[in-house]
Amino acid sequence: MTTLQEYKAHRKALKAQIKETKALLHQLEKELEEERIEMQHEEVEHLEEYLEKSNAHLSDFRTLSSSAMADLRKSLHDVASWFRGDKKQL
């Protein structure tokens, strides 16, 4: 049979373990949050690198799309002229 003193000692030990476990959990959660923030910063840096690299491609795309739009406008103008009878052939 367990005495009241033993029960109180066991209860105190368990409460100490709970307190220690909560402290450890708090520390691990803090480390996890710090790691998450660090990873976010790294991802932002990678995105900035990708954006810098993509600017050259975007410039080429802008040039290409501008050229394509100019060609399309000219073709539409030629077709419209042909329909109006301004031109005999395309």
Side-chain angles (χ1 to χ4, degrees):
M1 183 174 221
T2 305
T3 66
L4 185 57
Q5 288 291 10
E6 291 172 334
Y7 169 76
K8 285 182 179 181
H10 185 68
R11 183 175 174 189
K12 187 176 182 180
L14 288 176
K15 283 190 173 193
Q17 278 185 317
I18 290 170
K19 186 176 180 180
E20 184 179 320
T21 303
K22 283 181 179 180
L24 178 59
L25 178 61
H26 177 71
Q27 179 62 33
L28 291 174
E29 287 173 341
K30 183 179 174 184
E31 289 176 19
L32 180 63
E33 180 64 14
E34 289 171 356
E35 198 170 304
R36 184 187 65 79
I37 290 170
E38 182 180 330
M39 288 181 69
Q40 282 181 336
H41 288 296
E42 289 175 10
E43 288 301 314
V44 167
E45 289 172 6
H46 288 302
L47 287 174
E48 288 172 350
E49 291 173 18
Y50 294 141
L51 285 173
E52 288 174 10
K53 289 177 183 177
S54 70
N55 278 338
H57 299 292
L58 288 174
S59 177
D60 293 342
F61 179 73
R62 283 185 204 109
T63 303
L64 179 64
S65 63
S66 292
S67 176
M69 288 302 293
D71 289 346
L72 179 62
R73 272 190 226 104
K74 183 183 179 313
S75 296
L76 289 174
H77 178 73
D78 291 347
V79 167
S81 295
W82 181 78
F83 277 124
R84 286 191 307 265
D86 295 345
K87 291 187 176 181
K88 299 291 182 198
Q89 288 182 310
L90 285 176

